[in-house]
Amino acid sequence: MDINGEDEPGCYYNRSVEFFYNHSKKLISPEWRTRDCVVVGLGFTVCVIVILANILVMTAIFINRRFHYPIYYLLGNLAAADLFAGLAYLHLMFHTGPWTKCLTKNRWFLRQGLIDTSLTASVVNLLVVALERHQTIFTMQLHSNMSHRRVLLLILAIWAVAVLLGLVPSMGWHCLCDLESCSTMAPMYSRSYLVFWAVLNLLTFSVMVAIYMRIFLYVRHKSRRMSQHTLQDRHRETVVSLMKTVTMVLGAFVICWTPGLVVLLLDGLHCDPCKVLQYEKYCLVLAECNSLVNPIIYSYRDGNMRHTFRRILCCMCWNRGGRHREAMSQIRFNTQEEEGGRDRSTGTANVTNGTRLTLMDSSDMLSSSEG
């Protein structure tokens, strides 16, 4: 807890976190209430599931060569952002309720900054995914020609922007020297920052929706000019399937985060009749659930992702029982059976050292992302 002392004229640097909460009329409960315990318990459970689920997605993308393309690297980075969000919310669970009054101002800014960084990373990543899909779809390609180096630079840039925006309040855009500008939901944030942050994210949502609308109109126009039962038609279906997956991810993100951003915007505009504190926890829970939705979408939409998930989980289960060798042998046997079924239509080349080289035609390669 910060120690009260002499402040600079017009500033309140030596005041405690509780002082700002009291000024914003967001009173900190002195003891744990039943509602607080339920919220923290549910939040902790959801955070653990979010962390494990997104580690599973990242592992699947890493070990399956079919996912070694720019779009999947970006989706893997989105899973990393969701993983980071799970950790940020887990940190929040241990620094909320009556524990809030024990925080120093720096630790409070860290708590809020982690949440801001995770949201910004997700938003910027989704914008990059939208631009990548726009580039590839308008050339009717399944995957872009971006090099691994360029994708890595994009991912680093995404996190640089996210960290920067997460640090902005602690670097000076706060209300420690302007008490009347303090917000209600985030009592040490300036209302002007909340307006900036909410409007920026809502505008980004609008841009992404416009991009995907343009892509769908283009794909529908092209599909009418394609003949049925051709490789081009198979290509189009695969492109549309992957498009639907990333669009569902975007749609879930917009649905889960828009209410919270609107409430933040109302708070930033100093809308006292709106009673934003009544909706704060519900919006927070909805936003937290978004990090759990994406792995479910991947499992529902992508057959290869589901298959990879099963392989990972089966290996983990067998390892716990001390039957790792048998499990790996069974997986290899099943995989060879499945490849053998495909080989009759695609052809295989066997090497004498026992390594199987599967030669897939273009239609099989294109179908790798269909669910």
Side-chain angles (χ1 to χ4, degrees):
M1 179 183 295
D2 296 312
I3 300 175
N4 293 337
E6 292 297 327
D7 288 311
E8 297 179 14
C11 294
Y12 300 87
Y13 291 119
N14 292 323
R15 299 290 182 171
S16 66
V17 170
E18 188 176 10
F19 168 80
F20 293 94
Y21 272 71
N22 290 338
H23 178 268
S24 297
K25 298 180 180 179
K26 185 180 182 180
L27 302 181
I28 301 175
S29 174
E31 59 184 17
W32 285 97
R33 297 166 297 184
T34 302
R35 185 183 67 176
D36 297 329
C37 295
V38 171
V39 170
V40 171
L42 290 176
F44 179 82
T45 303
V46 173
C47 287
V48 171
I49 297 174
V50 165
I51 292 170
L52 295 177
N54 284 285
I55 289 177
L56 183 63
V57 172
M58 296 170 65
T59 304
I61 293 174
F62 177 77
I63 68 174
N64 194 331
R65 293 176 63 92
R66 289 177 179 263
F67 301 140
H68 291 185
Y69 294 98
I71 180 62
Y72 286 107
Y73 292 145
L74 293 174
L75 292 178
N77 190 53
L78 181 61
D82 288 334
L83 171 62
F84 186 82
L87 294 173
Y89 282 115
L90 189 62
H91 179 268
L92 176 64
M93 292 299 105
F94 288 102
H95 298 85
T96 189
W99 289 330
T100 304
K101 64 173 61 179
C102 299
L103 295 175
T104 64
K105 287 190 291 294
N106 288 334
R107 291 172 62 188
W108 187 91
F109 278 118
L110 173 63
R111 188 190 77 172
Q112 301 302 121
L114 291 174
I115 302 295
D116 297 347
T117 299
S118 65
L119 171 63
T120 305
S122 297
V123 171
V124 178
N125 199 96
L126 284 170
L127 180 60
V128 173
V129 169
L131 295 174
E132 190 273 348
R133 286 294 87 192
H134 185 276
Q135 176 189 358
T136 55
I137 297 299
F138 273 71
T139 56
M140 291 307 292
Q141 296 177 346
L142 180 58
H143 299 294
S144 70
N145 297 321
M146 280 194 300
S147 64
H148 290 177
R149 179 182 178 184
R150 186 177 179 185
V151 175
L152 178 61
L153 290 176
L154 278 174
I155 291 174
L156 292 177
I158 289 170
W159 284 101
V161 172
V163 172
L164 177 62
L165 289 180
L167 290 175
V168 164
S170 62
M171 292 189 298
W173 203 343
H174 50 63
C175 65
L176 301 187
C177 291
D178 186 10
L179 206 59
E180 297 307 314
S181 69
C182 290
S183 70
T184 302
M185 292 176 60
M188 286 194 290
Y189 274 10
S190 173
R191 289 197 301 270
S192 60
Y193 175 73
L194 292 189
V195 173
F196 161 78
W197 200 65
V199 170
L200 179 64
N201 284 285
L202 291 172
L203 286 177
T204 305
F205 289 175
S206 301
V207 170
M208 288 188 287
V209 171
I211 290 174
Y212 281 109
M213 285 297 297
R214 187 166 187 265
I215 291 174
F216 274 119
L217 291 175
Y218 176 79
V219 170
R220 187 177 67 175
H221 173 72
K222 291 288 291 186
S223 64
R224 291 175 178 175
R225 300 174 58 182
M226 289 181 177
S227 59
Q228 298 294 322
H229 308 297
T230 64
L231 182 60
Q232 278 188 330
D233 190 60
R234 180 67 175 273
H235 186 287
R236 178 188 60 80
E237 291 177 358
T238 306
V239 169
V240 172
S241 178
L242 185 55
M243 270 295 303
K244 288 181 179 179
T245 301
V246 296
T247 305
M248 289 175 67
V249 170
L250 173 62
F253 189 86
V254 171
I255 291 172
C256 291
W257 274 102
T258 299
L261 292 176
V262 171
V263 171
L264 282 176
L265 180 60
L266 293 174
D267 185 18
L269 296 175
H270 206 188
C271 180
D272 289 333
C274 298
K275 298 180 180 180
V276 293
L277 291 180
Q278 294 184 2
Y279 307 101
E280 178 188 17
K281 293 188 181 297
Y282 300 106
C283 293
L284 185 64
V285 171
L286 183 61
E288 183 181 358
C289 290
N290 175 250
S291 298
L292 183 60
V293 169
N294 291 340
I296 298 174
I297 294 176
Y298 299 146
S299 301
Y300 172 73
R301 290 293 310 168
D302 197 309
N304 281 317
M305 190 72 77
R306 288 197 302 272
H307 177 71
T308 308
F309 286 170
R310 285 196 296 267
R311 290 183 59 184
I312 295 172
L313 294 175
C314 286
C315 287
M316 291 175 60
C317 291
W318 281 107
N319 282 337
R320 289 177 182 176
R323 302 177 61 179
H324 176 67
R325 290 184 179 180
E326 291 82 357
M328 295 304 296
S329 301
Q330 184 66 27
I331 290 173
R332 285 197 297 268
F333 178 76
N334 292 339
T335 303
Q336 290 179 357
E337 280 188 337
E338 292 169 2
E339 290 181 351
R342 287 199 302 267
D343 291 343
R344 285 190 285 273
S345 60
T346 60
T348 59
N350 295 323
V351 184
T352 56
N353 63 3
T355 302
R356 177 181 293 270
L357 175 63
T358 304
L359 304 177
M360 297 183 293
D361 61 15
S362 57
S363 62
D364 184 42
M365 181 66 76
L366 290 173
S367 65
S368 65
S369 297
E370 293 182 297

